[in-house]
Amino acid sequence: MKTKRLFILLAFVLFLTACGTEKMDGTMALVDQNNKEVSFPQEKPTLFFFITTYT
């Protein structure tokens, strides 16, 4: 049963990868806590983290 689920998961990931594009059109920008726009470079892969707090 676990191998069947693993196969389905891998097939789904492969499907999502095939549907994607190599590069995004336009720039990706987020707003930080000070309402300043932060953009990410498109030339190379970028890893970013979201840290949230609830007060």
Side-chain angles (χ1 to χ4, degrees):
M1 190 62 147
K2 287 184 181 181
T3 57
K4 184 178 179 181
R5 287 185 184 177
L6 180 62
F7 178 73
I8 292 172
L9 177 67
L10 289 175
F12 184 69
V13 169
L14 181 65
F15 176 74
L16 288 179
T17 304
C19 291
T21 59
E22 287 187 20
K23 200 169 196 180
M24 287 179 29
D25 295 333
T27 60
M28 180 176 176
L30 299 173
V31 178
D32 67 2
Q33 69 273 8
N34 298 324
N35 288 330
K36 293 182 182 176
E37 191 173 282
V38 179
S39 61
F40 294 92
Q42 298 294 317
E43 299 85 37
K44 54 186 175 180
T46 304
L47 178 66
F48 58 94
F49 294 94
F50 287 106
I51 300 174
T52 60
T53 58
Y54 295 97
T55 56

